[in-house]
Amino acid sequence: MTGTTNADARTTRVREVRRRLTEEGPPRTRERQGDFETVSVPQRHCDRLRDLMVAERAGKVVEVGLAYAGSALAIGEALITAGRPFPRHVVIDPFQESEYRNAGWDLLRAAGLDSIATLMPVPSSVALPRLLTEGFVADAAFVDGSHRFHEVFVDLYFLRGIVRPGGLIVIDDDWWPSVHTAARYYERNLGWTEIPNAFPREATGAGPRDGDGTRCRAYRLPDPSFEPSFEDFRAF
């Protein structure tokens, strides 16, 4: 009973910080017009992300990109709700201090999530190989870091080895051609399967990439994982 009460109290605390972030914005932002609204994942997508992680019963999650912590708070709520022992949330963001003045990390601390979260303030190209070398295994990952094709591709390459077979990888801003094209390789060649209707279409039905207006996409990794022959390459 006590464990349930504690979990409920922690969840309530996280939800209150999420509410304040949505209604009032972060404690500070970069000096750019509408930066919070532009950078942050919309609340409705964060709610879907939370629900996916809860359905996954995720206990360990890797997140690339923190910024103002909208998605990180949703993932933290999911980790508490799922109730797995020793939950862990690894967040990678080399710009959290220099660009965001720790606004996102301070929000995670306000929500009490620093007890399960670890911030790696280095590029994902450094952090992810380190996690892989350490043998860290995650149930899921959320990718919202660099949108350059080669850097997204590298993130997904290493996450493929970190997220367990059959696990979940969610990608933000798939409607950008660079992001979508990187993900498409893994879908076409490595058996990643999109989870249909995991996220809503945008109300405008349009984004920087021509298509269905879907901002976030969720992929299920194959179980067991496999290495395709180079002769079986499929253009993407």
Side-chain angles (χ1 to χ4, degrees):
M1 188 65 160
T2 302
T4 301
T5 301
N6 288 340
D8 289 345
R10 294 178 72 191
T11 301
T12 298
R13 182 176 175 182
V14 175
R15 288 177 178 172
E16 175 59 20
V17 174
R18 290 190 64 201
R19 183 195 65 78
R20 292 203 311 266
L21 177 62
T22 300
E23 296 178 2
E24 303 170 12
R28 52 196 169 274
T29 64
R30 297 184 295 181
E31 294 180 359
R32 303 178 185 179
Q33 183 79 25
D35 190 58
F36 169 61
E37 293 78 8
T38 301
V39 169
S40 295
V41 180
Q43 184 186 30
R44 63 188 178 281
H45 289 74
C46 288
D47 288 344
R48 290 288 188 98
L49 177 63
R50 175 202 59 201
D51 294 346
L52 278 173
M53 297 292 177
V54 171
E56 196 70 14
R57 294 199 69 247
K60 296 181 180 180
V61 178
V62 175
E63 181 171 11
V64 180
L66 176 57
Y68 297 114
S71 56
L73 289 165
I75 291 170
E77 182 183 339
L79 287 168
I80 293 171
T81 302
R84 295 281 296 278
F86 310 110
R88 189 173 173 193
H89 183 190
V90 178
V91 186
I92 301 166
D93 191 339
F95 306 112
Q96 179 58 202
E97 181 175 1
S98 61
E99 288 281 328
Y100 297 97
R101 293 180 290 164
N102 288 319
W105 184 247
D106 285 350
L107 285 166
L108 287 181
R109 293 177 61 195
L113 292 173
D114 54 320
S115 62
I116 64 173
T118 301
L119 176 62
M120 299 183 73
V122 295
S124 56
S125 58
V126 174
L128 292 173
R130 186 181 301 170
L131 290 173
L132 186 62
T133 300
E134 292 172 355
F136 183 78
V137 178
D139 299 299
F142 181 65
V143 184
D144 188 19
S146 169
H147 288 17
R148 298 184 183 96
F149 166 81
H150 58 284
E151 291 176 325
V152 179
F153 190 92
V154 169
D155 285 349
L156 299 181
Y157 172 82
F158 283 111
L159 285 170
R160 175 176 174 256
I162 293 169
V163 176
R164 62 172 172 77
L168 187 70
I169 293 182
V170 180
I171 301 171
D172 185 34
D173 286 329
D174 176 83
W175 56 8
W176 282 100
S178 53
V179 177
H180 178 78
T181 304
R184 183 66 172 158
Y185 167 80
Y186 294 89
E187 187 177 6
R188 291 276 293 165
N189 289 275
L190 291 172
W192 293 20
T193 305
E194 183 181 357
I195 299 175
N197 303 315
F199 289 90
R201 289 165 52 102
E202 290 299 285
T204 59
R209 176 177 65 83
D210 292 337
D212 62 7
T214 301
R215 171 172 176 155
C216 295
R217 290 185 189 271
Y219 291 94
R220 175 74 61 194
L221 273 59
D223 185 10
S225 60
F226 65 93
E227 292 293 340
S229 166
F230 71 90
E231 297 174 333
D232 296 331
F233 175 76
R234 297 180 181 181
F236 59 100

